[in-house]
Amino acid sequence: MSKASPGPTPGFLVWRLANKWRVAVDRALAPLGLTHAQYVLVASLHGMQRAGERPSQRRLADNTGLEALYVSKLARALESAGLIERTRDARDPRAVQLALTEQGRAVTRQAITVVQELLQQLLEPLGGLDAPRTRAFTDELTTLLDAPLTPSEPNDESTQGRTS
């Protein structure tokens, strides 16, 4: 809560909404054997493959906003489950390329349908997925996501009185 307003801060509300969404997606995808984070990876990979790409783990990390190390961990788990293939890039032996298997494509298509239905339900109070309020909300979220955040310096004796 902020001293300036009696209600919850925007940051708190974003955090609550993100958690509400993650929990709902986790529960909805559990029957398919996917977590929300795994879904983000396979759905992004699905879209990139449809566009003709066979992305590296790094490229997929950049695309999803997930840490590269986390993408690597998720990719290994999804490979063990038979949903993706991980192969070394012939042009760069340090890079690992990812592709959905046939089973992975089938599970991902099911998961996308489940998440789209859940998204419609979440956005119903704004008029649904294609509503003007939803488009405006999406634009506002995009603006916030595009704004860079830099952590402030700690307020200790070594930084007091200095201007950087």
Side-chain angles (χ1 to χ4, degrees):
M1 297 257 210
S2 165
K3 291 178 184 177
S5 69
T9 65
F12 178 74
L13 294 173
V14 167
W15 178 75
R16 288 281 314 270
L17 183 59
N19 280 312
K20 176 182 179 176
W21 179 248
R22 184 192 50 77
V23 167
V25 172
D26 276 342
R27 287 180 181 154
L29 294 178
L32 296 174
L34 292 175
T35 65
H36 185 232
Q38 290 172 327
Y39 169 76
V40 168
L41 195 104
V42 296
S44 296
L45 184 54
H46 182 263
M48 294 170 89
Q49 279 187 231
R50 288 184 58 186
E53 256 188 272
R54 185 179 175 121
S56 67
Q57 286 182 171
R58 163 58 63 192
R59 171 84 176 93
L60 194 57
D62 292 344
N63 182 267
T64 61
L66 295 171
E67 293 291 326
L69 192 58
Y70 191 43
V71 168
S72 177
K73 179 182 172 184
L74 290 170
R76 282 193 301 275
L78 291 164
E79 181 182 41
S80 293
L83 301 180
I84 68 168
E85 297 171 336
R86 298 170 67 242
T87 56
R88 290 277 172 206
D89 185 336
R91 297 165 298 186
D92 182 356
R94 296 168 299 159
V96 175
Q97 289 183 310
L98 303 175
L100 290 168
T101 63
E102 188 58 45
Q103 178 188 358
R105 283 189 292 278
V107 169
T108 300
R109 284 191 297 269
Q110 288 178 291
I112 289 170
T113 299
V114 167
V115 171
Q116 285 297 308
E117 290 170 1
L118 191 58
L119 187 58
Q120 182 65 32
Q121 182 182 352
L122 174 73
L123 295 171
E124 199 57 44
L126 299 180
L129 193 54
D130 297 319
R133 284 182 67 197
T134 298
R135 284 191 293 280
F137 178 61
T138 301
D139 290 344
E140 297 292 349
L141 289 172
T142 301
T143 298
L144 294 174
L145 285 169
D146 288 345
L149 289 178
T150 54
S152 58
E153 289 186 16
N155 190 9
D156 64 23
E157 291 179 29
S158 65
T159 60
Q160 287 182 348
R162 287 193 336 198
T163 57
S164 299

